[in-house]
Amino acid sequence: MKDPKRVLFINSEIYPYLPESTISVIGRYLPQGIQESGKEIRNFMPRYGCINERRNQLHEVIRLSGMNMVINDIDRPLVIKVASISSARMQVYFIDNDDYFHKKSIYEDAEGNFLEDNDERAIFFARGILETVKKLRWKPDIVHCSGWISHLVPLYLKKAFKNDPIFADAKVVLSLYDEYMDSLFDPGMKSKIPVSGIKSKDLDAFKAPDGINLAKLAIQYADAVILGSENIRPELMEFSASRGIPVLEYFPIDHPEGTYIQKFNEFYDKLLE
């Protein structure tokens, strides 16, 4: 009997930790459905400051915490927390750091301005997850990234971690949503991204520090794309087509016929053939 396939879910949002949205609802129910189909799963999301730790029963995983990551020449401690969604029989791991994720806002301040450190938060989130999965010694077959804050994961996985036996065979699936495409990151973001294994030419798609170029960078290193919104920018559609990778068309999560979970699961299986 073959070992079950493994899917690593990297989500920007999961309900009930954040309010209901397309991304958070998929983040909540897709992993459960994939687990019930017979696959193993792991879930990660950021520990935003608006998440009530006591109410949601988050607690620190000491054996996974304690690592430091250098971003923009500053050491940042990585803290891993975990909570359970008992009705789904699944755990959610949270990437935490007091400097990046203590704010009560998620991505914007009270005036609606994109947070100045969102670039470093995305870097910390991506690297923190991959380092934690290495510590878990859990080898995924599929890494499914959802939400803009996950968009650096494909680059790090395919370049910085490409020779790591944990990730060497993993296929990256990217769910694209029409979110924060015009948001601007810190002008110096491009210089903060590289680590060992990443050269400046690997960031060619990231021509300017904004959401649409970050999405292009994610597409460049993805093995497949799922259209999560009905209206995806034409240039991202064209860029995906130019890569020659499989693209799963948009399918509403409340569609009366069939289930998106089944479609996603079939998409994973085809990618692993």
Side-chain angles (χ1 to χ4, degrees):
M1 186 175 172
K2 286 185 178 177
D3 290 335
K5 296 298 184 185
R6 293 173 163 184
V7 184
L8 171 63
F9 290 99
I10 299 177
N11 300 287
S12 60
E13 304 171 28
I14 297 175
Y15 176 79
Y17 305 111
L18 291 181
E20 284 191 54
S21 68
T22 299
I23 298 179
S24 73
V25 168
I26 290 176
R28 161 64 181 84
Y29 292 103
L30 176 62
Q32 178 182 350
I34 296 302
Q35 180 170 259
E36 289 171 355
S37 79
K39 292 180 172 64
E40 286 185 20
I41 62 156
R42 292 288 186 275
N43 295 300
F44 281 83
M45 72 172 285
R47 207 292 293 179
Y48 306 106
C50 59
I51 296 172
N52 186 303
E53 295 201 4
R54 183 175 293 179
R55 187 187 309 133
N56 292 294
Q57 298 184 330
L58 271 67
H59 61 269
E60 186 175 347
V61 187
I62 303 297
R63 69 186 177 90
L64 297 176
S65 298
M67 190 185 309
N68 275 24
M69 290 188 293
V70 178
I71 298 176
N72 202 23
D73 298 327
I74 297 175
D75 255 7
R76 309 280 187 185
L78 172 63
V79 177
I80 306 298
K81 292 174 180 172
V82 72
S84 295
I85 301 178
S86 54
S87 59
R89 295 184 179 177
M90 67 182 192
Q91 289 185 317
V92 177
Y93 290 96
F94 295 83
I95 297 293
D96 199 5
N97 171 270
D98 281 349
D99 295 326
Y100 292 138
F101 295 113
H102 73 286
K103 307 173 185 72
K104 293 297 181 188
S105 50
I106 300 175
Y107 304 133
E108 298 172 329
D109 63 20
E111 284 75 49
N113 301 308
F114 209 48
L115 296 174
E116 288 183 2
D117 65 350
N118 272 336
D119 62 329
E120 294 188 13
R121 295 166 94 209
I123 293 167
F124 187 87
F125 181 58
R127 288 173 51 191
I129 288 168
L130 297 177
E131 292 290 359
T132 302
V133 173
K134 268 183 66 175
K135 267 193 174 181
L136 285 169
R137 296 182 180 175
W138 191 81
K139 182 180 167 70
D141 298 289
I142 297 278
V143 177
H144 189 161
C145 302
S146 299
W148 77 264
I149 203 167
S150 72
H151 282 180
L152 286 171
V153 171
L155 166 72
Y156 283 121
L157 194 151
K158 296 289 185 170
K159 288 294 180 179
F161 289 81
K162 68 177 180 180
N163 295 322
D164 192 295
I166 293 288
F167 298 109
D169 304 316
K171 300 285 188 185
V172 178
V173 174
L174 174 70
S175 277
L176 274 182
Y177 295 92
D178 188 25
E179 48 150 13
Y180 299 102
M181 290 297 166
D182 300 312
S183 297
L184 299 176
F185 295 101
D186 181 89
M189 179 176 180
K190 195 170 181 178
S191 67
K192 301 176 190 177
I193 295 172
V195 293
S196 178
I198 296 177
K199 301 179 174 64
S200 58
K201 67 178 178 62
D202 299 326
L203 299 170
D204 282 351
F206 195 58
K207 290 181 170 61
D210 60 26
I212 199 153
N213 284 308
L214 186 61
K216 282 185 177 178
L217 188 66
I219 294 166
Q220 182 179 345
Y221 293 100
D223 296 292
V225 167
I226 293 173
L227 303 181
S229 301
E230 195 168 7
N231 300 305
I232 299 292
R233 301 290 175 94
E235 63 183 285
L236 293 183
M237 300 286 286
E238 290 164 14
F239 192 69
S240 298
S242 75
R243 300 289 303 159
I245 56 177
V247 176
L248 183 63
E249 296 300 318
Y250 171 70
F251 186 82
I253 64 174
D254 55 356
H255 196 284
E257 293 178 20
T259 162
Y260 73 94
I261 295 173
Q262 183 181 334
K263 283 187 177 293
F264 284 24
N265 198 31
E266 290 169 356
F267 194 60
Y268 297 157
D269 289 342
K270 197 155 189 183
L271 205 57
L272 294 172
E273 284 176 358

